[in-house]
Amino acid sequence: MRAVGSVTPHETAYDRRRLRQWLAGQARAEGVTRRRLLTLLAATAGGTALSAAAPAHAAGPSILKPLPPEWFIPRGTNAETRWEALSGTGHHTPNELFFVRNHTATPVLDAAAWRLRLWGDGLRGAPGEDRPVEFGYDDLRALPAVTRTAFVECAGNGRSYYTTQQGETVNGTPWTLGAVGVARWRGVRLADVLRRAGLSSHAVDVQPRGLDAEYVSGGENLGRVRRPLPLGKALEDVLLAYEMNGEPLPYDHGYPVRVLVPSWVGISSVKWVGDIEVSAHPLFSPWNTTFYRLFGSAYPKEGTAPLTRQTVKSAFELASGATFPAGRRQVLRGRSWSGAGGVARVEVSTDGGTTWRPARLHDRPRAGTWTRWSLPWTPAAPGPAQLLARATDTAGRTQPDTAVPNTEGYLFGAVVRHPVTVL
Ligand code: MTE
């Protein structure tokens, strides 16, 4: 139950309370039927009734930026960054190389016409949708700006290794390790916007919602992408970002404004945000009930609490199956990151995990972003080899040899065996 350990007891208790309140009819659950939530509670160990169907494909291109095959692996409505393309790119992932995860398709929005509407019974003097508080793009840009380096990483990043390394069958996009990127985000604190909107002392949850098309899964319209955030996190370090690496947000990454929730699973960072419900009652959506919890034999029937922080991971800046000449000195490079703190130590094995050497770190360990590292290697004999990297974060979490499986293949955190060939 290691993955559950990343959710603090406080968060777990909070979630249980929300579920109880929902069942007592005290919480809103737009888009989640009572039947669905009861199914969730009665989920079988296999969790099959809850698996996410493949996303509906939009008629046009789902992603607008160019996706050259040397940079991206196409994955349905999504695009995975190739790790070898990150070689030499510096700490921040260039916008052109940043992975894209779209439930439907990138909308092209006009910043001049865009409005952010805050509404709900968690605001003072704005009891319903009829009296919202609105901010335009220029209003946000006039507020104090903050800049922060942070990764966005899909909860399913690394999912395919549950199958290829552990023989497990899991649902969802078979990402390797490229559903992650680090950018310098600039925007305003969600806390500042909430306070200006008149945050009430009764507020408990906020729910940002995207302006992209409604998401249809398994024939059911789940509405627009939205996921509640506990107020504590919303006030702590969440941004409404309008710049990515010094440029206005690209269309595919949320233009004109996206939510950026540092260290948490990527689904929290809602793109193309159009409104935020501020609620005095716990909120539910399909994205914190049916999706983005852990289900499976190692977990409670109703699944874990909604996922929050990411696991620890490491990746080499190499193609799978990269080749190296025997007897020549190489420098292996890679990056490691964690949702629970900075990465303080990385060990690398070039002999399939028999011996390990400490890698040299090229970044100061910092929460919410990765640490780059390198290690010299002179491959001896020709033949297949496996490279492994194992990181430890400042919270003391080390990547294990295997990850506890869950039906949706979220939060893979085990050491990945990277195949190469020595020629
Ligand atoms: N926000 C909206 N409105 N629609 C989406 O499909 N996908 C989420 C999140 N925010 C999504 C969204 C998921 S699952 C992830 S991992 C991140 O956006 C991906 O962000 P990126 O495409 O900028 O890399």
Side-chain angles (χ1 to χ4, degrees):
M1 298 273 284
R2 176 187 51 264
V4 186
S6 68
V7 176
T8 64
H10 172 76
E11 284 162 345
T12 309
Y14 173 83
D15 184 62
R16 287 216 192 90
R17 196 164 67 243
R18 294 205 307 184
L19 202 55
R20 274 201 307 275
Q21 282 175 305
W22 189 85
L23 289 170
Q26 295 164 357
R28 282 174 213 273
E30 188 196 353
V32 186
T33 61
R34 192 177 172 85
R35 180 185 56 78
R36 180 177 282 275
L37 206 64
L38 291 172
T39 311
L40 189 76
L41 286 169
T44 58
T48 45
L50 305 163
S51 58
H57 285 264
S62 55
I63 297 173
L64 299 180
K65 69 181 176 185
L67 301 172
E70 63 276 21
W71 288 356
F72 291 102
I73 305 163
R75 303 231 182 255
T77 55
N78 319 300
E80 171 166 1
T81 303
R82 289 187 186 276
W83 266 90
E84 63 270 33
L86 293 183
S87 169
T89 53
H91 188 91
H92 298 93
T93 312
N95 292 354
E96 313 80 70
L97 278 173
F98 210 97
F99 86 102
V100 181
R101 162 75 175 108
N102 280 350
H103 281 70
T104 59
T106 295
V108 174
L109 304 176
D110 173 10
W114 176 86
R115 291 279 177 281
L116 176 66
R117 202 161 45 85
L118 284 95
W119 58 280
D121 60 8
L123 292 180
R124 286 195 310 269
E129 260 196 280
D130 46 332
R131 283 165 62 197
V133 183
E134 286 198 354
F135 294 81
Y137 188 66
D138 291 342
D139 298 331
L140 283 196
R141 296 214 66 134
L143 294 178
V146 289
T147 302
R148 163 164 197 150
T149 290
F151 66 73
V152 170
E153 183 188 18
C154 196
N157 195 26
R159 174 183 284 127
S160 66
Y161 300 108
Y162 278 114
T163 306
T164 57
Q165 291 195 173
Q166 302 187 193
E168 304 286 342
T169 304
V170 293
N171 302 309
T173 304
W175 303 106
T176 51
L177 284 173
V180 62
V182 166
R184 190 183 299 108
W185 309 94
R186 183 175 164 86
V188 297
R189 287 191 180 85
L190 176 56
D192 287 350
V193 170
L194 289 170
R195 290 199 181 101
R196 276 180 171 77
L199 187 64
S200 129
S201 58
H202 302 294
V204 295
D205 273 356
V206 302
Q207 178 161 254
R209 181 164 53 166
L211 290 165
D212 42 339
E214 294 178 334
Y215 179 58
V216 178
S217 171
E220 197 179 345
N221 186 343
L222 302 178
R224 287 195 271 125
V225 172
R226 61 200 184 284
R227 189 178 202 248
L229 266 179
L231 188 69
K233 180 66 174 173
L235 295 180
E236 186 190 333
D237 59 359
V238 175
L239 296 189
L240 292 171
Y242 46 69
E243 274 182 22
M244 181 176 179
N245 294 325
E247 294 168 15
L249 278 186
Y251 287 127
D252 294 309
H253 298 289
Y255 182 84
V257 177
R258 83 176 298 167
V259 179
L260 189 271
V261 182
S263 303
W264 282 32
V265 288
I267 185 60
S268 327
S269 293
V270 170
K271 302 191 277 189
W272 313 291
V273 59
D275 71 289
I276 301 178
E277 177 174 4
V278 185
S279 175
H281 304 280
L283 297 173
F284 290 91
S285 90
W287 288 269
N288 73 339
T289 54
T290 308
F291 312 128
Y292 302 104
R293 290 179 183 235
L294 305 180
F295 300 99
S297 55
Y299 299 105
K301 278 206 312 273
E302 69 278 17
T304 60
L307 301 183
T308 59
R309 286 178 226 284
Q310 277 289 2
T311 49
V312 193
K313 290 196 194 65
S314 301
F316 289 90
E317 295 171 7
L318 287 176
S320 177
T323 58
F324 296 92
R328 202 174 305 160
R329 185 181 184 272
Q330 310 290 325
V331 178
L332 299 173
R333 295 181 190 281
R335 305 172 192 225
S336 302
W337 63 100
S338 162
V343 164
R345 187 158 54 93
V346 180
E347 301 151 285
V348 172
S349 170
T350 53
D351 57 9
T354 309
T355 59
W356 296 84
R357 285 184 287 156
R360 181 175 152 222
L361 305 187
H362 297 272
D363 291 302
R364 187 167 53 85
R366 263 195 299 158
T369 189
W370 49 34
T371 300
R372 290 170 296 167
W373 44 260
S374 67
L375 185 103
W377 179 44
T378 306
Q386 280 187 336
L387 308 180
L388 286 71
R390 179 169 67 196
T392 301
D393 68 20
T394 51
R397 300 193 307 177
T398 299
Q399 291 182 256
D401 293 338
T402 56
V404 178
N406 61 92
T407 57
E408 306 307 307
Y410 295 132
L411 299 187
F412 187 85
V415 173
V416 169
R417 308 179 80 87
H418 190 115
V420 298
T421 304
V422 179
L423 301 172

